[in-house]
Amino acid sequence: MRLARIETGDGVVAGEYEDGVVQRDGDEYVVGEDGRLAPPCDPSAVYCIGRNYAETLDQKGYERPEQPTFFIKPPASVIPHEAPIPYPAFSEEVTYAGELVAVIDERCHDLTPTEAEDVVRGFTIMNDVDALDQPGLTSRKAFDGSGPLGPWLETDVDPRNLDMYTEIDGERRQEANTELMLWGPYELISFLSERFTFRPGDAIAFGSPGNPGTIEPGDEVEIWYEGIGTLRNTVE
């Protein structure tokens, strides 16, 4: 099942999504007519795992970390599917990263990997936009618009063996499978839950395979994950 949120004139409405229509309590909202898709969740934080693919470590010359590395994007970083990505005026080297994301369904803390499976509402996609020439992860990754998220949540998918790709203006730039992660999704949720109390709607991004290039104003970025769909945004 797919769950989506649509931004209408009366506020954001969440419901089941099918063929461009969000349904809730017998009412139907047509995307593009009644409003545009909102981010599929309203997180208090986006927890982002880094260095989780061997390809990324090899590309950047990193050693394999002994435990997962992570950083946090704030709510202000989140923009929806098809919203423009604002190219930051303070950077001249901006990159993309197509990442699988889990959305938490309940307040929880200190989970085992098995328990983690039971607290996930569904899975979606994020573009981890990075101002690579800035100092420190927060200044690089936590600015407004640096977390395109969407288009919806897929509730019936196994995150451990999904093909993915990223295309820039139709050119394939990333291609991988989530089985190549160094740590699996539920391991990572468990790891982070030892340190943070999750709240409903919080998002956890599991890292990106090798990232071979930058983006520029005018570029269209499409990130596809098997069983979920395509997140699409244009850089402005």
Side-chain angles (χ1 to χ4, degrees):
M1 181 171 63
R2 287 178 173 170
L3 304 175
R5 299 168 73 240
I6 183 171
E7 189 171 344
T8 74
D10 296 323
V12 175
V13 175
E16 187 173 343
Y17 175 88
E18 185 175 2
D19 296 332
V21 176
V22 178
Q23 301 183 39
R24 179 171 181 175
D25 297 332
D27 294 324
E28 294 188 348
Y29 303 85
V30 179
V31 177
E33 295 181 11
D34 297 314
R36 70 175 190 178
L37 285 176
C41 59
D42 186 17
S44 68
V46 181
Y47 300 92
C48 304
I49 299 294
R51 306 184 186 184
N52 196 29
Y53 283 82
E55 181 184 3
T56 305
L57 302 184
D58 293 342
Q59 179 190 38
K60 297 187 177 181
Y62 295 145
E63 296 292 330
R64 175 170 175 160
E66 294 183 2
Q67 66 179 31
T69 60
F70 62 89
F71 57 94
I72 296 173
K73 288 180 182 277
S77 70
V78 175
I79 59 173
H81 173 67
E82 294 193 337
I85 300 171
Y87 195 99
F90 51 80
S91 176
E92 297 180 352
E93 189 178 10
V94 178
T95 63
Y96 57 86
E99 307 198 4
L100 179 69
V101 175
V103 175
I104 300 298
D105 197 36
E106 61 188 65
R107 187 181 180 94
C108 54
H109 176 71
D110 200 14
L111 306 168
T112 67
T114 299
E115 290 170 336
E117 296 189 41
D118 295 329
V119 302
V120 173
R121 181 184 304 168
F123 292 90
T124 190
I125 303 166
M126 185 180 78
N127 184 358
D128 175 21
V129 180
D130 185 343
L132 197 62
D133 54 359
Q134 299 302 296
L137 283 176
T138 299
S139 58
R140 283 173 46 189
K141 293 174 173 285
F143 54 90
D144 287 4
S146 64
L149 193 67
W152 42 67
L153 294 183
E154 177 56 60
T155 64
D156 186 20
V157 66
D158 186 338
R160 290 165 288 201
N161 184 18
L162 301 178
D163 289 331
M164 66 80 63
Y165 63 74
T166 300
E167 293 184 344
I168 310 298
D169 290 335
E171 179 185 351
R172 189 71 50 93
R173 298 282 188 88
Q174 292 181 300
E175 193 165 12
N177 187 287
T178 57
E179 69 178 359
L180 300 175
M181 291 181 180
L182 301 179
W183 290 278
Y186 299 118
E187 288 180 88
L188 292 169
I189 294 172
S190 173
F191 171 83
L192 290 171
S193 76
E194 296 174 0
R195 294 153 176 80
F196 305 102
T197 298
F198 296 137
R199 291 161 175 79
D202 283 353
I204 300 168
F206 299 116
S208 170
N211 179 355
T214 59
I215 49 177
E216 303 291 342
D219 287 346
E220 182 182 74
V221 185
E222 292 188 321
I223 303 168
W224 173 83
Y225 270 83
E226 180 183 5
I228 300 175
T230 301
L231 170 66
R232 181 184 305 106
N233 301 87
T234 299
V235 185
E236 69 170 14

